[in-house]
Amino acid sequence: MRFTKPAWVMHKDSAMRGDEKRVSMFSCHVHPDGSRIATGGLDAKVRIWSTKPILNHASELSGRPPKSLCTLTMHTGPVLVVRWAHSGRWLASGSDDEIVMIWDLDPTAKGKVWGSDEVNVEGWKPLKRLVGHESDVTDVAWSPGDRYLASVGLDSAVLIWCGFTLERLRKIDQHQGFVKGVCWDPVGEFLATGSDDRSVRIWRTTDWELEAEVKKPFDHSPGTFFRRLSWSPDGAHITASNATNNDGYVFIAAVISRNSWTSEISLVGHENTVEVAAYNPHIFLRDPSQPVTAPNICSVVALGADDRAVSVWQTKAPRPLIVAKDVFERQIMDLSWAADGLTLYAVSSDGTMAVFSFDVTELEGIAPQSAQEQYLKRFGFVPPPLPDGFSHQVPVDFSKSRSTSRITPPPSPRAQGQDFGSAAPATVRTGGEQVHTLVAKRKPKKRIQPTFTGSLSGAVPSSSVNGINSSKLPPSTVPSNSLSGAPPRSFHDVPSSNTVPISVPSTSALALSVSQPFGESASGFGLGLNTGETTEDFPMDLNGEVRISSLDTTAQGAKGKRRAGDEVDDRIATKARTLGGDRVRETIPVRPIAVRSAAPLAIASLLNDPTGLGGRLEPPQLVTYLKAAVEGSDDIFEGRNAEGDDPHEVIFVSGKQTQWLDYLPSPILALTATSTFCAVAMQDGSLNVYSHTGRRLMPALSLGVPCHTLTGSKHVLLLLNVTGMLFVWDVRKQAAKFPPTSISPILAGSPNLNIVSIAVRPNGAPVVQLSDGVAQSYDPALLTWTKLSEPWWAEGSDAWQGRQRTNMQTTARGPVALVEGAVSERMGVDSSRAEKVRPAWWSAALTLGHLESKLHAAKALDSPQEYKQALLLYAKRIADEGFRAKAEELVKELFGPVYWRPNRDDSWSPTTLGMPKRDLLKEVLNIFVRSKTLTKLGQDWQDIMKRAQNGD
């Protein structure tokens, strides 16, 4: 087996300037012909890469074929899943923007990617947006033969789409939790879905009703990012991720048997939850000399887990074929086998890809594809008929196959035998699907109108929702001007992977739709939405100029000239007018208000609460008067709740002067004010954000349920609602710092655990202080909660400062010191506590662990000085103990690659928290040189530092 990690396969953070940051990859899938692989990531992009440079070092060095083929940028949220159709002609992607996008090859779309220096060697255009999910789309899957497409998401719904017309056929909403995995039976008889309701459900494709529900191995399964499951190529088993044994203490992948739908087999060995399972697409024979029968068949399945390990199992052996540990720095998100069955691709949330290439002798016994298809016919399932006139098979003219340029992937499926000269659309009904086969009709133009002749990637047809067929166009029903008359090619007639073909005829009706005159009805090119009204042509000035006569500033009916004495001199100081400034301010006593209607607060209890917090978070007490002081000033932001029918209001006061006010439709629960904005949370779950002049900086946010906590810092706003969902926004950028996340992972440990306080740092890091003394923060890069500090370190760490009372002012202390001080006060940690008998290495182990934790906390809270202080203390303790291995690892981490140069190697960042790492290393080496045990190590690295600075 050969292993490689191509560093150039990456998704980048577009917000980073100069020093590009690698962001998480959530999904990957290999094209059926093996020539390319698609990936989806946190940057909201789909990227398509050549596989030959990944597998062949010579190809990587030569740059042929190009490494990056295309970057697709139509999604507005992280792309959580990408899946090629079995035909290879379409690519489906799902995102947390709630959209499933279908992509098609477009030879006119190649060129430079807008807003970046990247170049698309080949073009893929959005063929259709499949609208229907109400939350993140977590997984999609094509059925055998691409007859159907299934998509699942965090709205707990399973949507079934036609694989040809791309119209929605069915919505299954029987799951009681987020659905995070879906797979098809290779026979085509069943569909399986995995959900956070701790079940795998099997659905019949004949009537889309429930066949079976499997719960036993998932009773204690924890929450994971995905629950990707896979069906074996012989149709006999489903391997489901995120299962457990022994009441949740043993992490396994559960193997569910067909027909009985029970799980008697477990794949045990991973040290953390299994995130994804992926079967090799081939059937393997135990004895290749024997026929393809059930006793002679076995399968190969790969597992990826949160323990950063990948394992490959063969069903004929009790132990895994390989276990690759520490392949990634974070959890595995997706796995994909190449069609040859010998190459496995894996991606991780650390933003890297790993590739495992097996030899034929290692995975021996691959059955021929024809034998596999013949074996599946034994199940006797007859798939439903295709929509009339549609096929994914493109006819091949073999007589011209040698003289015609080869392309891969081939053109998109088209309706067979279609007459483009026909004037009227034909409607075909088949199996509950309504298929419109439409052709182009041109209307006579009334006058010359400007037309758009370029490529408009934003005009993407959308799928029908709620019975409205927004676009029934089957692919390829409108010919492009680029049709050359060359015969269509078969999908299997493809060149080798070192050829990047781009001369494929366009098959979209998009060019026709954008070239219509502005005054013509859209129904002219087949959308079929007739409102019964006539569209009139209105003259307009295309240059956007405004006539001078329209800028008349005199009052209507005013006559004569203005006299010189009537003019106002702007230099004379006048009192600025303010909204509500002339109103006398009244003092309002603070008293609680009885809730007049329980409906707003009852929403939270009626919601499906997957967090299990069970009402432990309550909204603030409703009172008549609230106020928040503005950071760095004497200004006050006030909230006043009316007890009668009067409106509720917020007021911004500077000194004794009301600067502005606003009336609100719902009672005020919480206020916060920073140096840049003010925010108010209301009982109906809405949130308003204002500038200091009273302008709404963001649209009113509808969060659905009341808030529990509202706080801010500089440009950052934090809100925790009563269902436990945490939101953090950058008000200046009008964007979320990370997707809404639940606090249930940090509260689920005990029913008596509560939140003591919540704050937010200017970098967007939340700081949650719990009643057990632990301080937590959420890391958007790791997609998990992390411990900032805990009372455990006070038990033996020599570096614990929280228990030492000092006279230092709070303003002079860093955020990490404040957190540790709060931990000490909460738990009553005292340095004079009774000494206990401890193991020999107790103090050294806890001190080093505490300092390492403190380094991570300083990074999370963006505190450079505390990071440097903890680093030097850590270096001194390592030197005092003589731990050479730890010292060498620390030095190499700070020094980086020996021949590192800016803009040449992106795998290492030269700074941390704005401080050059090699400057920090100089101070660390000075500590090592002065020590008794690491003097030689420090001197050697000082020499290397000098040579590196001199360019030797």
Side-chain angles (χ1 to χ4, degrees):
M1 184 197 76
R2 287 173 288 115
F3 170 76
T4 182
K5 287 190 74 174
W8 45 269
V9 176
M10 63 183 296
H11 287 245
K12 305 171 185 176
D13 185 354
S14 58
M16 298 292 289
R17 300 289 184 182
D19 185 20
E20 293 176 335
K21 179 184 178 183
R22 186 187 297 268
V23 300
S24 299
M25 281 195 281
F26 297 119
S27 184
C28 68
H29 200 230
V30 190
H31 191 274
D33 70 358
S35 65
R36 66 205 69 208
I37 184 170
T39 58
L42 188 64
D43 57 355
K45 297 176 182 177
V46 177
R47 297 179 183 266
I48 301 177
W49 315 86
S50 296
T51 55
K52 190 169 184 180
I54 298 175
L55 304 175
N56 188 307
H57 185 61
S59 175
E60 180 181 12
L61 296 177
S62 67
R64 292 181 296 178
K67 298 175 183 176
S68 177
L69 297 180
C70 190
T71 300
L72 314 179
T73 58
M74 285 292 289
H75 280 294
T76 59
V79 179
L80 303 182
V81 60
V82 289
R83 294 291 183 261
W84 294 100
H86 296 289
S87 65
R89 296 187 180 96
W90 289 345
L91 172 66
S93 60
S95 164
D96 74 352
D97 61 8
E98 306 175 6
I99 299 297
V100 177
M101 195 81 74
I102 306 298
W103 306 87
D104 189 18
L105 193 65
D106 181 8
T108 65
K110 61 183 179 179
K112 191 172 181 179
V113 180
W114 187 84
S116 73
D117 296 329
E118 301 176 15
V119 176
N120 283 342
V121 178
E122 64 183 23
W124 289 80
K125 67 176 182 296
L127 179 69
K128 199 166 190 180
R129 299 168 72 253
L130 305 187
V131 181
H133 282 285
E134 298 174 1
S135 189
D136 305 11
V137 179
T138 54
D139 206 3
V140 299
W142 296 89
S143 71
D146 298 331
R147 182 62 183 85
Y148 302 110
L149 173 68
S151 61
V152 298
L154 300 189
D155 56 358
S156 305
V158 182
L159 300 186
I160 310 297
W161 313 83
C162 177
F164 295 85
T165 66
L166 299 178
E167 296 302 324
R168 196 173 85 185
L169 304 179
R170 188 69 176 242
K171 179 178 182 179
I172 304 172
D173 54 3
Q174 298 182 31
H175 273 292
Q176 303 303 313
F178 301 152
V179 188
K180 296 181 176 178
V182 60
C183 68
W184 291 89
D185 167 21
V187 180
E189 187 177 4
F190 299 111
L191 171 73
T193 54
S195 168
D196 274 356
D197 61 10
R198 295 177 176 175
S199 72
V200 168
R201 302 194 183 194
I202 318 298
W203 314 90
R204 295 186 296 271
T205 60
T206 51
D207 56 6
W208 306 112
E209 295 299 327
L210 184 65
E211 170 74 11
E213 181 179 16
V214 185
K215 282 192 170 184
K216 181 181 177 182
F218 311 103
D219 290 341
H220 299 89
S221 64
T224 52
F225 207 87
F226 297 114
R227 290 176 180 260
R228 303 199 196 274
L229 63 169
S230 183
W231 211 305
S232 64
D234 61 353
H237 302 97
I238 304 170
T239 295
S241 58
N242 198 0
T244 59
N245 282 344
N246 295 346
D247 296 331
Y249 289 100
V250 179
F251 302 103
I252 66 167
V255 181
I256 302 170
S257 300
R258 189 189 187 97
N259 295 330
S260 68
W261 310 119
T262 57
S263 176
E264 305 297 337
I265 303 173
S266 301
L267 304 181
V268 185
H270 282 283
E271 298 174 358
N272 208 330
T273 48
V274 178
E275 195 92 26
V276 53
Y279 269 98
N280 189 301
H282 289 279
I283 288 176
F284 289 79
L285 301 179
R286 298 173 185 265
D287 185 353
S289 62
Q290 298 297 318
V292 182
T293 58
N296 194 34
I297 283 178
C298 64
S299 302
V300 172
V301 63
L303 305 178
D306 288 353
D307 61 359
R308 303 174 296 160
V310 175
S311 61
V312 179
W313 304 70
Q314 207 161 13
T315 54
K316 66 180 180 181
R319 296 186 178 275
L321 187 65
I322 67 158
V323 177
K325 293 186 176 181
D326 298 327
V327 175
F328 299 102
E329 296 179 1
R330 299 181 198 158
Q331 69 264 43
I332 286 88
M333 288 296 188
D334 204 4
L335 299 170
S336 178
W337 287 93
D340 61 4
L342 299 176
T343 310
L344 174 65
Y345 296 81
V347 293
S348 165
S349 61
D350 66 6
T352 61
M353 171 186 287
V355 186
F356 305 87
S357 301
F358 296 89
D359 191 77
V360 179
T361 57
E362 294 173 310
L363 292 178
E364 59 182 355
I366 295 181
Q369 185 66 28
S370 58
Q372 184 170 335
E373 295 174 356
Q374 192 66 30
Y375 178 83
L376 294 178
K377 290 181 180 179
R378 300 182 182 182
F379 287 89
F381 178 75
V382 179
L386 304 183
D388 288 352
F390 282 84
S391 172
H392 278 286
Q393 300 298 323
V394 179
V396 180
D397 186 353
F398 290 100
S399 63
K400 299 182 181 180
S401 61
R402 302 196 176 198
S403 61
T404 308
S405 61
R406 297 183 175 185
I407 57 175
T408 177
S412 298
R414 58 179 293 172
Q416 296 177 344
Q418 196 169 47
D419 182 9
F420 289 108
S422 173
T427 302
V428 179
R429 293 186 178 271
T430 166
E433 302 172 44
Q434 184 174 351
V435 182
H436 290 263
T437 54
L438 302 168
V439 296
K441 286 195 305 183
R442 291 189 179 274
K443 293 185 177 181
K445 297 182 180 180
K446 298 179 182 178
R447 65 174 187 272
I448 297 176
Q449 290 277 6
T451 58
F452 183 83
T453 58
S455 176
L456 183 63
S457 60
V460 184
S462 297
S463 61
S464 64
V465 181
N466 299 329
I468 300 176
N469 295 323
S470 60
S471 175
K472 292 290 185 176
L473 270 174
S476 296
T477 57
V478 181
S480 170
N481 293 335
S482 62
L483 289 174
S484 60
R489 305 293 297 160
S490 168
F491 163 69
H492 297 287
D493 190 9
V494 296
S496 60
S497 58
N498 63 347
T499 304
V500 183
I502 53 179
S503 57
V504 180
S506 174
T507 58
S508 173
L510 189 58
L512 176 63
S513 65
V514 298
S515 64
Q516 294 292 327
F518 292 153
E520 292 190 11
S521 170
S523 61
F525 55 87
L527 290 184
L529 297 179
N530 186 7
T531 61
E533 299 176 355
T534 303
T535 305
E536 297 182 359
D537 294 330
F538 295 95
M540 60 178 170
D541 186 357
L542 296 179
N543 295 324
E545 297 178 354
V546 182
R547 296 172 182 171
I548 296 177
S549 61
S550 65
L551 300 178
D552 187 7
T553 58
T554 60
Q556 185 177 3
K559 296 182 180 180
K561 295 182 179 179
R562 176 181 296 175
R563 293 177 296 178
D566 296 336
E567 296 180 0
V568 178
D569 191 351
D570 292 338
R571 294 172 294 181
I572 301 175
T574 58
K575 188 175 181 180
R577 189 166 182 236
T578 61
L579 181 61
D582 56 349
R583 194 178 69 171
V584 179
R585 292 189 60 220
E586 299 177 355
T587 302
I588 298 179
V590 180
R591 57 176 176 268
I593 300 177
V595 180
R596 289 171 293 176
S597 173
L601 297 179
I603 297 175
S605 60
L606 295 177
L607 290 174
N608 178 20
D609 183 13
T611 63
L613 297 179
R616 289 157 65 180
L617 301 177
E618 296 181 354
Q621 171 68 48
L622 196 63
V623 294
T624 55
Y625 177 80
L626 306 88
K627 72 175 182 178
V630 178
E631 291 177 344
S633 72
D634 296 330
D635 298 341
I636 301 294
F637 185 48
E638 298 180 348
R640 302 185 178 192
N641 289 319
E643 295 183 272
D645 295 330
D646 295 334
H648 317 285
E649 60 183 27
V650 287
I651 306 173
F652 188 88
V653 180
S654 181
K656 296 182 179 181
Q657 175 71 30
T658 298
Q659 297 299 320
W660 57 268
L661 57 82
D662 193 17
Y663 297 107
L664 303 176
S666 179
I668 302 164
L669 285 180
L671 297 171
T672 189
T674 73
S675 58
T676 57
F677 69 86
C678 308
V680 53
M682 289 168 274
Q683 191 183 47
D684 63 357
S686 57
L687 176 71
N688 286 1
V689 182
Y690 304 93
S691 70
H692 286 181
T693 62
R695 292 177 56 250
R696 281 176 166 80
L697 295 177
M698 298 170 63
L701 306 181
S702 298
L703 305 179
V705 294
C707 80
H708 172 270
T709 302
L710 182 70
T711 186
S713 178
K714 293 187 178 179
H715 298 283
V716 177
L717 174 63
L718 176 147
L719 183 143
L720 175 67
N721 67 22
V722 294
T723 62
M725 295 303 295
L726 182 74
F727 302 81
V728 177
W729 299 277
D730 187 324
V731 175
R732 178 173 51 184
K733 296 180 180 179
Q734 297 191 26
K737 299 294 286 187
F738 48 81
T741 186
S742 174
I743 63 167
S744 61
I746 61 176
L747 289 180
S750 169
N752 299 320
L753 197 58
N754 295 308
I755 294 176
V756 176
S757 66
I758 299 181
V760 64
R761 291 282 296 158
N763 66 339
V767 181
V768 182
Q769 193 79 38
L770 302 179
S771 57
D772 63 354
V774 179
Q776 303 263 8
S777 183
Y778 185 78
D779 191 328
L782 299 177
L783 300 176
T784 188
W785 288 90
T786 59
K787 290 184 178 180
L788 297 174
S789 188
E790 54 184 323
W792 169 251
W793 303 124
E795 297 295 323
S797 172
D798 297 335
W800 180 261
Q801 300 295 326
R803 65 173 180 257
Q804 299 178 4
R805 298 189 178 275
T806 65
N807 295 324
M808 190 174 6
Q809 294 295 325
T810 300
T811 54
R813 300 173 66 188
V816 179
L818 290 175
V819 167
E820 290 192 349
V823 171
S824 297
E825 293 175 7
R826 183 70 190 170
M827 302 309 297
V829 178
D830 187 17
S831 59
S832 61
R833 67 191 183 281
E835 293 294 330
K836 299 179 182 179
V837 178
R838 300 296 189 183
W841 289 96
W842 176 263
S843 177
L846 261 68
T847 301
L848 291 176
H850 173 223
L851 289 172
E852 290 165 353
S853 176
K854 201 169 182 178
L855 288 171
H856 292 300
K859 267 189 176 181
L861 301 184
D862 195 18
S863 180
Q865 293 305 317
E866 288 183 300
Y867 181 86
K868 182 178 179 179
Q869 180 186 13
L871 176 66
L872 298 181
L873 287 174
Y874 182 64
K876 187 175 187 309
R877 187 60 185 243
I878 290 176
D880 291 344
E881 298 289 348
F883 294 150
R884 184 181 180 88
K886 287 181 180 288
E888 287 182 343
E889 189 175 67
L890 177 63
V891 169
K892 291 177 181 178
E893 178 183 332
L894 293 174
F895 185 82
V898 176
Y899 299 104
W900 182 85
R901 293 292 183 272
N903 301 323
R904 293 187 182 180
D905 187 355
D906 300 332
S907 61
W908 179 75
S909 175
T911 62
T912 179
L913 296 177
M915 299 180 291
K917 289 182 178 178
R918 292 186 178 180
D919 288 352
L920 294 174
L921 177 58
K922 291 179 182 179
E923 300 191 41
V924 170
L925 293 178
N926 289 336
I927 294 174
F928 289 168
V929 169
R930 293 194 299 267
S931 68
K932 297 180 180 180
T933 56
L934 301 178
T935 303
K936 183 67 166 56
L937 176 68
Q939 292 173 344
D940 291 344
W941 275 99
Q942 283 181 336
D943 293 339
I944 295 175
M945 287 279 289
K946 292 178 182 178
R947 291 200 298 269
Q949 290 177 347
N950 297 330
D952 297 342

